[in-house]
Amino acid sequence: MVFENNSISEYEHLLRNHTNDGLAVNCMSIDDFKLMCKQLVSPIEIIEYLKWRKVFYKNNGLINLLITETNNGFVLSRPQKNENLVQQYLYEKYGENAIYEDGLYYELFRQYVSVLYEHKEMESEINGCYEVIKFLAHLFRDEIKCFVERTEKALLIAKTKKFKLVGTLRNVQKEYAIVFTATEQGEQVPSEELLPVVFEKQKVHTLLQIITYWVNDNEYMIDFVLWQG
């Protein structure tokens, strides 16, 4: 529940359920919601945070001051101000580095994904662009870092006009994988041919190819090819 009325300054951060079959509901202001979205890097991370936030307030009540001991001392925050509880979530889930890490990876990720809408060929597939976005929306920050690193490497190699399989990103439990390719002019290997060679011993139900190439010395392109079996 997001309050878009600036006159509402005081509210319960967790609307508790009053019956056994009722729902507990997260509450925050529109400004806090925007701050939350800036600190969390993917839709799936926002979902996981809201689940964690609900449990936190249910177990701890409305805490006004939170002190967390780290290897570098103590981190003091006011959870109810500017949605600072996000920092506690990041610390518990990813460790101390997540509190201070550089956001460059995530800005680059947004930049790469934004080129999806520049590719007219996606219009020939019903909801093709949406399916790719939906897949990428489920990547967590450790996967996003790998995504950016491999895409950067692919773009660097593609500038030399070489065709090369640069790397992969795999999730064995969820049975999906991403293949990163440097190409001269956007050439692609059919997914059905890639699967038995690159993922011989791994079951893959969803495969996304990230195909990079350069139009000229200053402009690159990224093609997204999604296969679901």
Side-chain angles (χ1 to χ4, degrees):
M1 182 182 296
V2 179
F3 296 108
E4 201 171 357
N5 187 336
N6 291 329
S7 66
I8 301 176
S9 57
E10 297 293 334
Y11 55 87
E12 291 284 343
H13 284 65
L14 179 67
L15 189 62
R16 300 173 185 275
N17 55 309
H18 298 287
T19 62
N20 292 331
D21 57 350
L23 295 175
V25 179
N26 279 297
C27 301
M28 65 180 69
S29 68
I30 185 66
D31 290 336
D32 285 352
F33 178 78
K34 291 176 181 177
L35 289 169
M36 176 197 71
C37 291
K38 285 183 178 179
Q39 296 178 82
L40 301 173
V41 298
S42 69
I44 190 62
E45 191 169 71
I46 291 173
I47 291 171
E48 292 300 316
Y49 168 67
L50 291 175
K51 290 179 182 176
W52 178 91
R53 183 184 189 272
K54 187 162 63 173
V55 174
F56 177 89
Y57 278 125
K58 186 176 181 180
N59 292 339
N60 299 286
L62 297 180
I63 294 179
N64 189 42
L65 178 63
L66 193 61
I67 303 175
T68 303
E69 184 178 7
T70 70
N71 293 328
N72 294 319
F74 293 91
V75 176
L76 279 70
S77 64
R78 293 190 177 278
Q80 298 177 53
K81 184 178 181 181
N82 300 327
E83 203 53 36
N84 282 330
L85 194 59
V86 171
Q87 298 299 313
Q88 182 68 20
Y89 165 78
L90 292 175
Y91 173 74
E92 291 188 13
K93 185 170 180 63
Y94 301 108
E96 188 173 349
N97 290 337
I99 302 177
Y100 309 105
E101 68 183 348
D102 187 355
L104 176 62
Y105 279 104
Y106 316 122
E107 289 305 318
L108 285 172
F109 179 70
R110 294 184 184 100
Q111 177 182 319
Y112 294 147
V113 174
S114 69
V115 303
L116 268 171
Y117 295 98
E118 299 174 7
H119 289 260
K120 299 300 182 184
E121 60 267 29
M122 295 298 297
E123 294 178 0
S124 63
E125 302 176 25
I126 299 176
N127 295 329
C129 188
Y130 170 74
E131 291 299 325
V132 175
I133 289 291
K134 187 170 70 172
F135 172 80
L136 294 173
H138 287 78
L139 298 183
F140 284 95
R141 62 178 54 210
D142 53 345
E143 294 175 307
I144 288 174
K145 282 186 177 181
C146 291
F147 182 99
V148 171
E149 289 171 348
R150 285 159 176 73
T151 302
E152 289 276 276
K153 185 178 179 181
L155 285 169
L156 189 63
I157 295 173
K159 206 159 192 179
T160 65
K161 299 298 182 181
K162 293 180 180 178
F163 183 94
K164 185 176 181 180
L165 181 65
V166 175
T168 63
L169 193 163
R170 317 179 187 201
N171 190 311
V172 177
Q173 292 181 332
K174 296 182 179 179
E175 298 182 351
Y176 65 71
I178 305 176
V179 173
F180 301 83
T181 311
T183 71
E184 186 175 351
Q185 295 179 328
E187 305 90 337
Q188 61 175 273
V189 179
S191 298
E192 293 82 355
E193 296 180 17
L194 268 179
L195 283 169
V197 177
V198 181
F199 306 101
E200 182 182 0
K201 298 181 180 179
Q202 180 186 344
K203 187 182 294 185
V204 176
H205 285 162
T206 302
L207 175 65
L208 178 66
Q209 291 190 60
I210 306 297
I211 301 169
T212 63
Y213 55 103
W214 290 79
V215 179
N216 52 53
D217 290 339
N218 300 312
E219 183 183 4
Y220 66 78
M221 298 288 282
I222 302 176
D223 286 342
F224 299 79
V225 179
L226 182 67
W227 175 91
Q228 293 176 309

